[in-house]
Amino acid sequence: MSQAGDGRAPPRAAPDPAVAADQRAAAFLLAVDPVGLGGAVLRAGPGPERDGWLALLRAALPLGGAWRRMPASVPDSRLLGGLDLTATLAAGRPVAERGVLAEADGGVLLLAMAERAAPGMAARIAAVMDAHEVALERDGIARRLPARFGLVALDEGIEDEGVAQPLCDRLAFHIVPLPPGAPDALPDMVAARARLNAVQVPDEVTEALCGAAVALGIASLRAPMLAQRAAIAAAALAGRDTVAPEDAALAARLVLAPRATRLPEAPPAEEPPPPEQGEARDAPKGEATDAPLEDRVLDAARAVLPEGLLAGLGAGLRDAARRSSPDGRAGSRHATPLRGRPAGTRQGEWRAGARLALVETLRAAAPWQPIRRRGRTGGPRLLVKREDIRLRRFEAPQETTAIFVVDASGSAAMHRLSEAKGAVELLLADCYVRRDKVALIGFRGRGADVLLPPTASLVRAKRSLAGLPGGGGTPLAAGLDTARGMAEACRRAGRTPLLVLLTDGRANVARDGTGGRAQAEADALDAAKPLRIAGVPALLVDTAPRPQAFARDLAAAMGARYLPLPMADAARLSGAVRDAAA
């Protein structure tokens, strides 16, 4: 018995042989062209699956090639190189050392716990990958070092954690390793590397990969370029001088499918022509080899789209939160003086409440020692000044505040208000665990009111909700303006706002309080745009009996997820918000 709660892990599902074969092929392709393909993102914790894929990659690499591993918290002095502190203090003159990126030249670099890499660190690695060299200009040292390597980002994140987007965009393969199968015989890697630069790419292959990327909703131009490099490497491995359709199909499965953001449109069904007289009725169902190459490449990617993609594609709210965060995390983070994850160092004054970064302080002071000791005959051997002081930086995730903006206009609003009350009370039950807060804004008549400031108190929320009024016109723009003000206040207070708008989309009161549907809708759209520009995660719940076109347009203007729930009850509403905020 292996049910949850018995203390044992559930049995692992048997790996799909075709997917496992593709993952092994990805290791070989990366070993053939690590610089051209950029590398891979391995989404898995430590275990035989990840170790097996890495062992296969290392076995396929040239003997003696660099194989470096570094943590996500490595300082810039070790990442890019700089002053060798020990040698400098011993020699009394600046001595330079190479960083990890330069040491990985010609090989592979492993970035452990890549999901924790700071945005600045990810940007510096991406810049070096683009330039293929390290431009070292720090600590009084100026030099350029070659840095052509493949990067393997070991992603051990949970839930919404992930590798920073600049790195994901530059790494060809995004893999969730499967249990290792029977070991494969290594192909002729030497011959493949020798043939790599001579492989030709037909124009139709390039067009097919670009067309498949568009059909899958991939916005980055690097994706089809990486797919083409993967197809070239596959042709070189197969001993071909020209990329074949099967090479393009493999590249689409490995590079394009994991990046899909939407399902491609299915081709229109065509009636099969009636069989001519004398034609065999049971003709063999062979592959449609006469289909256009773009369709075959797209079908190859469609066949390996991840499970649950349809459900995930609708969750635009979570994606919006990740886009608004520079490191790809759904929740924002803020700096803290003494707790949280390490986030580098900074120059500053050493006061109470700050932690000294001793090594970085000594590294900053070392280049100036010959000048500071000039003319001195005694005293300490190391002179540290105020401008040398370096302090540790930390960052911690921010709390989330769910802001409910409820359309309280008209008699029907009373029914929706009761649903909102129930949803708020249900969400508050989770606040004690998730440390989230809930706020409530109602708009009706000629304006909007903050009915419940951000709170995690269930007693206070119930007291405020008990007297919630309703009736009058629909000043939608006023409600959005008030919500934007509260969202900005939440951010200033170090919390992440999550906007939930319940409305039937029938705005009829403009910003100046006058009636008129046309002006009211125009004002509502104008009020929605700043929310999208500010990157405020939002969910618009259409409570009309029939979904309204204007409500959908308003959601697009807000950058919000549109959710028609004409018969929503408190449980469904709170569940939708909980899923969106997860």
Side-chain angles (χ1 to χ4, degrees):
M1 178 177 177
S2 60
Q3 302 296 327
D6 63 354
R8 291 181 294 170
R12 293 174 177 171
D16 186 335
V19 177
D22 281 354
Q23 293 187 357
R24 292 195 293 272
F28 295 144
L29 298 182
L30 185 56
V32 170
D33 187 14
V35 178
L37 293 172
V41 177
L42 288 187
R43 177 80 173 180
E49 295 87 354
R50 194 179 76 178
D51 293 345
W53 194 90
L54 292 175
L56 187 63
L57 171 62
R58 189 167 190 180
L61 289 171
L63 292 176
W67 182 269
R68 294 288 185 272
R69 186 186 185 101
M70 71 173 185
S73 59
V74 65
D76 287 350
S77 57
R78 184 68 188 114
L79 180 70
L80 303 173
L83 200 66
D84 187 333
L85 184 59
T86 304
T88 298
L89 294 178
R93 57 178 177 81
V95 178
E97 66 172 350
R98 295 198 305 168
V100 180
L101 299 183
E103 291 176 354
D105 181 49
V108 170
L109 177 64
L110 305 182
L111 177 58
M113 303 188 76
E115 76 282 357
R116 297 190 176 187
M121 178 184 180
R124 284 185 278 278
I125 296 176
V128 171
M129 293 178 68
D130 292 343
H132 296 162
E133 67 175 11
V134 176
L136 180 60
E137 295 177 352
R138 56 179 298 165
D139 299 337
I141 302 171
R143 57 192 304 189
R144 293 182 179 274
L145 302 170
R148 298 171 61 86
F149 57 85
L151 177 68
V152 178
L154 305 179
D155 183 359
E156 303 176 12
I158 56 174
E159 297 181 352
D160 58 348
E161 289 184 320
V163 180
Q165 189 61 32
L167 291 182
C168 283
D169 197 32
R170 288 167 172 79
L171 306 183
F173 307 125
H174 299 175
I175 298 173
V176 180
L178 295 177
D184 292 343
L186 287 179
D188 191 348
M189 306 299 295
V190 176
R193 294 189 189 97
R195 192 180 296 109
L196 183 65
N197 293 329
V199 175
Q200 301 295 318
V201 184
D203 292 341
E204 62 174 350
V205 170
T206 304
E207 294 173 357
L209 292 174
C210 293
V214 172
L216 293 170
I218 302 173
S220 173
L221 293 178
R222 285 195 178 91
M225 296 170 64
L226 291 172
Q228 180 169 296
R229 294 292 303 188
I232 293 173
L237 265 179
R240 287 187 282 269
D241 294 329
T242 304
V243 173
E246 51 266 37
D247 302 325
L250 176 63
R253 294 197 300 270
L254 290 175
V255 180
L256 300 183
R259 290 173 161 82
T261 62
R262 70 185 181 202
L263 291 177
E265 296 181 1
E270 297 181 358
E271 291 292 336
E276 296 181 359
Q277 190 174 6
E279 183 178 352
R281 292 177 179 273
D282 54 348
K285 298 179 180 179
E287 296 182 355
T289 56
D290 55 344
L293 178 59
E294 180 176 342
D295 292 347
R296 282 183 280 167
V297 170
L298 186 57
D299 289 342
R302 193 202 314 265
V304 295
L305 287 177
E307 297 181 0
L309 181 62
L310 270 178
L313 295 180
L317 179 64
R318 187 171 174 177
D319 292 340
R322 289 173 64 85
R323 287 194 296 271
S324 64
S325 180
D327 57 356
R329 301 184 180 102
S332 301
R333 294 176 178 273
H334 66 108
T336 60
L338 294 175
R339 63 181 180 87
R341 293 178 177 176
T345 60
R346 64 176 177 85
Q347 185 178 12
E349 189 172 354
W350 191 14
R351 296 177 176 176
R355 292 181 61 180
L356 177 67
L358 179 60
V359 174
E360 295 301 322
T361 299
L362 295 178
R363 192 182 298 278
W368 304 99
Q369 296 308 306
I371 298 176
R372 293 174 183 174
R373 298 183 60 187
R374 189 175 300 167
R376 290 174 176 263
T377 57
R381 297 188 58 185
L382 182 64
L383 298 176
V384 179
K385 294 190 175 181
R386 178 177 300 177
E387 58 267 25
D388 300 328
I389 298 298
R390 297 294 185 272
L391 305 175
R392 294 195 180 279
R393 297 172 57 243
F394 300 90
E395 62 179 17
Q398 294 181 336
E399 297 177 349
T400 299
T401 299
I403 304 172
F404 284 81
V405 187
V406 181
D407 183 351
S409 62
S411 57
M414 297 304 296
H415 180 61
R416 293 192 292 272
L417 286 180
S418 64
E419 296 158 355
K421 292 178 184 178
V424 171
E425 292 183 4
L426 290 175
L427 288 172
L428 276 172
D430 296 335
C431 288
Y432 298 101
V433 178
R434 296 170 47 183
R435 299 180 180 179
D436 292 346
K437 293 186 176 180
V438 177
L440 182 63
I441 295 174
F443 59 92
R444 67 186 185 91
R446 296 180 181 274
D449 299 308
V450 177
L451 304 174
L452 180 65
T455 181
S457 171
L458 185 59
V459 175
R460 184 182 178 189
K462 288 184 176 180
R463 189 183 303 122
S464 300
L465 290 172
L468 198 59
T474 308
L476 193 50
L480 292 176
D481 288 339
T482 305
R484 179 163 59 90
M486 181 175 288
E488 292 174 349
C490 288
R491 283 188 167 173
R492 287 195 297 269
R495 298 191 298 270
T496 300
L498 173 64
L499 195 62
V500 183
L501 173 61
L502 293 89
T503 181
D504 57 6
R506 295 171 179 170
N508 55 16
V509 178
R511 267 175 167 158
D512 57 4
T514 59
R517 189 172 300 278
Q519 186 60 42
E521 291 182 350
D523 287 351
L525 292 175
D526 288 342
K529 292 175 183 176
L531 292 169
R532 184 188 60 190
I533 295 173
V536 177
L539 171 71
L540 191 153
V541 182
D542 188 349
T543 56
R546 290 184 178 180
Q548 299 294 305
F550 176 73
R552 189 182 297 275
D553 295 341
L554 184 65
M558 295 172 59
R561 178 188 174 192
Y562 176 71
L563 183 64
L565 288 177
M567 303 300 293
D569 56 14
R572 289 187 63 191
L573 179 58
S574 62
V577 175
R578 192 178 294 114
D579 292 342

